[in-house]
Amino acid sequence: MLQILHNPRCGKSRNCIAFANDLQVPFEIISYLENPLSALDLEVLIKKLAIKPIALVRQKESIWIENYKGKSVTDSDIIQALAKHPILIERPIVINGDKAIIARKIDNLAAFLQ
């Protein structure tokens, strides 16, 4: 079953949920702001996404700008920041088994679901 890391205040995240509903694809919503991912969960997710940790960061968020931007941070530092401040995680993320995508574009989600 698909899992969708969802922020209900995010339009792209709501669009992702609506798209999955329209396709009648069964999925589980993970409210990652209410139930933050651990550093280990994030490491697993990053492997499924096949990206560097920095690619998962919403770099325009004030928390990132005020605390991390322009500083020398390791991948581990980034993962710890994401675990501490889940608002920094790009969204929505769709997980299907051992693969995942950041589904900001519906076209990418459609291709992922095929």
Side-chain angles (χ1 to χ4, degrees):
M1 176 185 300
L2 288 180
Q3 296 176 307
I4 301 175
L5 274 69
H6 176 60
N7 176 349
R9 298 186 72 194
C10 173
K12 291 192 183 296
S13 192
R14 290 190 308 268
N15 290 344
C16 177
I17 298 285
F19 185 76
N21 277 327
D22 288 347
L23 291 179
Q24 299 180 346
V25 175
F27 61 89
E28 170 190 10
I29 294 175
I30 298 173
S31 300
Y32 68 94
L33 295 176
E34 294 173 15
N35 301 301
L37 302 175
S38 69
L40 181 58
D41 293 334
L42 286 162
E43 288 176 18
V44 170
L45 177 61
I46 289 164
K47 285 181 183 173
K48 289 179 181 186
L49 288 163
I51 60 173
K52 292 284 195 179
I54 192 67
L56 191 55
V57 176
R58 295 176 55 82
Q59 295 182 45
K60 294 182 182 179
E61 287 286 338
S62 60
I63 292 171
W64 182 261
I65 293 167
E66 293 166 9
N67 296 293
Y68 304 100
K69 184 178 180 182
K71 296 182 179 173
S72 178
V73 290
T74 64
D75 286 351
S76 179
D77 294 336
I78 293 167
I79 290 168
Q80 291 300 319
L82 293 169
K84 184 176 180 181
H85 308 285
I87 194 69
L88 292 175
I89 298 172
E90 277 288 0
R91 62 198 179 245
I93 296 172
V94 178
I95 304 165
N96 188 10
D98 63 350
K99 303 237 184 260
I101 63 162
I102 299 171
R104 295 187 58 77
K105 296 180 181 177
I106 293 298
D107 291 346
N108 293 350
L109 178 56
F112 181 73
L113 295 177
Q114 291 181 354

